[in-house]
Amino acid sequence: MEQQVLQLLAATLESAPETRTNAERHLEQLYTNDAFPISLISIASHHSVEPPLRQAALLVLKTLVLRTWSQSLEEFQQGVTITDATKDQVRQSLLALATSGDQERKVISASSYVVSKIASVDFPEQWPSLLPTLLQLIPRSHENQLHGVLVVLGNLVEDGFDEEQFGKSAVELVKCIYDIAIDEEKKLTSRALAISIFRACFDTMELMYQTDKASVRQFMQEASDAWTPFFVSVLKIPLPRIPTDEQEDEAGPGSWRGIVALKTQVVKALDKIHRLFPHLLSQHTLSLFSTVWESLQAHAGPYVTLYVTDNQQGRLEDADRLPYTLDFLVIEELDYLQTLFGSVTVKRELDAQLAPDKISNGALEGTWIAQIMAILVGYSQITQEDEGLWNFDVNVFLSEETSETANYSPRNASTSLVQKLTKWPVLESLLGYTKTTFEAAPSRSEPPKVPIDIGVRLTFTYSNARAKEAALFVLKQILDELDSCSAEVDQILARAYLEYVGLAMRDEDEFLRARGYILAARLTTINSAGLLDVVPEYAQQTLNIIDQDDSDVVKVSCIRSLQEYLKTLPSSRAREFQVQTVAAISNFLSSQDLSELKESEDLLDTLVETLRDAIMADPSLCLEHPALDVLFTMASYGASSFQTTMLVNEAFESITSSMAAKGPDAYSQLCAKVLPTLTGALDVGDMTSENALSDMAVSLLSSLAEHGLKPLPQNFVATVMPKLYRLLFSSNDFSLNQSATVTIRHLLSRDADQVFSWQDPATGKGGLEIVLLIIDRLLGPDVDDASAAEVGGLAVELVEKAGADRLGPYLMQLLRIVAVRLSTAEHASFIQNLVLVFARLALTNAKEVLDFLAQVQVEGGAGGTGLEVVLRKWLEHSVHFSGYDAIRQNIIALTNIYKLHDERLANIQVQGDLMVDNSSRIKTRSQSKRTPDRYSIIPVPLKLTKVLISELTNPLTPSTPGLMQNKLSGDSDDEDGEWEDEPNIVDLGNPTTTAELMAYADEAKWNVHQVDDDTQSYLVDFFKQASTEPDFENLYHSLTDEEREKLHSIENKQSAQ
């Protein structure tokens, strides 16, 4: 069988799609053969087999395990199962492979991953020997075998353990990996892996801490006391000499790659401890700060050499996901230093060093703040790699500039750190450094590689275009932070900096020139800087340079900078720049390869934002120059981008509302200008099958109709409706269908008479019939929930505008279709949309709605009478409705139904309260699949009462508690005064946080659902009246204690008033 499987695996690596697909299908057919997984492991274990085929075997094995091993795995598929005997053989063989010491690291990593997946469901019940086996192997493994054992153990700690399993083995586990980490005879990468495992343990320890604080605290304190001296010793290890290309991959006790990997894992571990359990390292905070400071000083020279002067590749990880390049280490050190700056102890020490009696003549030169500004400027320099990327693609430059990039570099890390320092005199300190940088003779000097302690004063200066740009880059981050905090900027300092900004604007280096224009806009538009008088001058210079400069980097920097000026200038002056700005953007577009513009999302967004700001200086002027044509051109190329689409819609909505406010003539002129372009875009989108372009055009039409005046301009409906009708009957794109449905609703809302009087020339059908046909299609079984999400609003608008007389028999037919479609609806927004059709009718005709629904019969699994189907969906999802108007209408409709005391409702059983599991563990997605939520079953009147009570705001408690408030606020016994209160940041990389967020998402327990004050008053009055009725007493005794308490609190509040 192995030969057959080997041939199929080889076929999966072929380039021909048909060959690959056939081989994959044949491999899936072997899932039922018990010998298949064993054959895959055997192939993966053979050294004579080519590595790609060995990896392919493990990839197929992984898929097989995920689909067939256990129902607890999320990817599990019913139909094929593996026998227990085969499972046992797979476990043993796979573990043997993962810990065999195979030289092919990718094979070890792949097999270890499969082991961890099996362990996540089998350990410890079906695989009790796994962890003891690993722990026994660690002290007696040879180097290659140890690597495999650590990889398996690391995956097990990250994915295979729960709190109980970890707790039983934590002491022995941590001891074993500690022995590896401190053993200088072991490979540096093995020691780094051991530290990585120790860091992963903290995520599980954090979960355990919620239920057993005392034991966890004692254990973690003991572990921290043992590991911290070792960590400090590693941080103090000097980097070896920078290796040549041939030496970089060399292993050995002093290898560059190994030491960088080891130091990186140490910093990551320390940062993790400080973030999760800061009290563990309180006594070491100052020494750690000093050590990391020294490291950053020592690493600055090699960093500049490798990445700024030379073009070494950075951001590299090995097969075990261990970072081993210096830039990664620097990032971790900068981030950890930022964490340490949150320590009161560190801040107190640093404040003391800046006390007036410690600074001679008040000069900051040589102080720690001067040193750190120098360090941050050094690490903020543009690397050779970035320069190459930015020259090749200006869009990459913009993504970096707007901090919307996944490329987190030392430059970005320096930004985060410098923003943490603005409580100290950073502007004064940076000015001295900037002055020296701009006025010193050009050089490529590196900082002295001298480790320093807190209090030792040392400074160094780079003086070249990169250093100047970096100094202004750091200044920009400081100004942004000060402005966001509404902090004052000293006018003397601002004018001093402006001198160097002017020098940068005239420099030969394009990146320094671009930085000059960016900073000029930032500096002059800050109110407290006292430079508003020069804004028009600098704005004009910026406009002029867009057409004059040869560099695209400078051009786009200037275009982006115009946003600052346009928002700051008085409207009368901003209007003067509108025509020039539109012309500049138009000229820039004409110089670009428009075929590549679709891939340049950040560039498009910048152009649209600047154009929007120019238009908003006076939207009425956009009819006199090609601003709208330029906007639509960019819209057509950015139609597939959500961000660009949003910006275009925002700009056009502002234009439309502004023109509508000027009266019918202005609005009609706007329609005459834009309707041909928008309908033409729909035709192009239809011919080319570009749904994104059609969606963009329909969205703009929707804004045009939404803000239109009553009545709409003549022939508006005749121009738009045929296009929308065709789209809704030919497209399956959910976004396009939603936008088109909303547009028709706006047409009905603004000018129903024009819609009803219109007749489609192609079919001869009238407007009313066309709208009914559209609703019928959207409510049909062939259209999914997402595509039909807005049809409920359209149906409501049609019923209200047409009325029962005009609709005639179609009204009952329409409501019947809505009830039937509601029975199969699953998406919350779609359910709300359909329910509101009946809710709006129930506002005035509740009894007629119930009578009608009782006559409707719904077929299928969730069938029954329309009354049963609608009320079940309505009451189960009511508490998740969003939007003040929707919630208000829903509440009033439900109270109207309650007041009927209809006997039919008592016979309908619906979902009641959640039956809570007493377990304290967080419920993850996979656990939800294994044990889905269970609910009680109760009659409609009781459920209706519970829903209305849930809408009451309890006056004794906050109405909307913060997400994970208890977790983020911390426990009082953990606070030792060491850490200041900082804004709470949810760490999305933390598995604990991720689990909690997924639990919220899976259980739909977190939504924006708030009731306005008027509706609250209405509800209070309703319950005040209902409580006097005989039927309410029976319902009251069936309520929960919490619900009764809420009613009592409302009653007490009323009495007190």
Side-chain angles (χ1 to χ4, degrees), residues 588-606:
F588 177 79
L589 278 174
S590 64
S591 70
Q592 301 296 302
D593 184 351
L594 296 182
S595 63
E596 298 179 357
L597 206 56
K598 291 182 179 180
E599 306 301 323
S600 303
E601 182 176 332
D602 294 287
L603 175 58
L604 267 176
D605 291 349
T606 296

Side-chain angles (χ1 to χ4, degrees), residues 894-956:
L894 289 176
T895 57
N896 288 346
I897 292 174
Y898 176 90
K899 292 173 183 177
L900 294 175
H901 298 293
D902 194 310
E903 295 181 356
R904 292 171 294 189
L905 303 185
N907 297 321
I908 301 175
Q909 301 294 308
V910 296
Q911 186 183 87
D913 296 327
L914 175 67
M915 301 172 70
V916 180
D917 184 0
N918 291 326
S919 172
S920 63
R921 292 189 59 186
I922 294 170
K923 195 169 188 179
T924 62
R925 185 187 309 214
S926 60
Q927 290 168 339
S928 296
K929 289 180 66 176
R930 293 198 296 268
T931 56
D933 292 337
R934 295 179 299 122
Y935 293 85
S936 61
I937 303 299
I938 58 176
V940 164
L942 179 57
K943 178 68 173 181
L944 199 155
T945 305
K946 286 174 170 287
V947 168
L948 292 174
I949 291 175
S950 71
E951 301 290 3
L952 284 168
T953 300
N954 192 332
L956 302 180

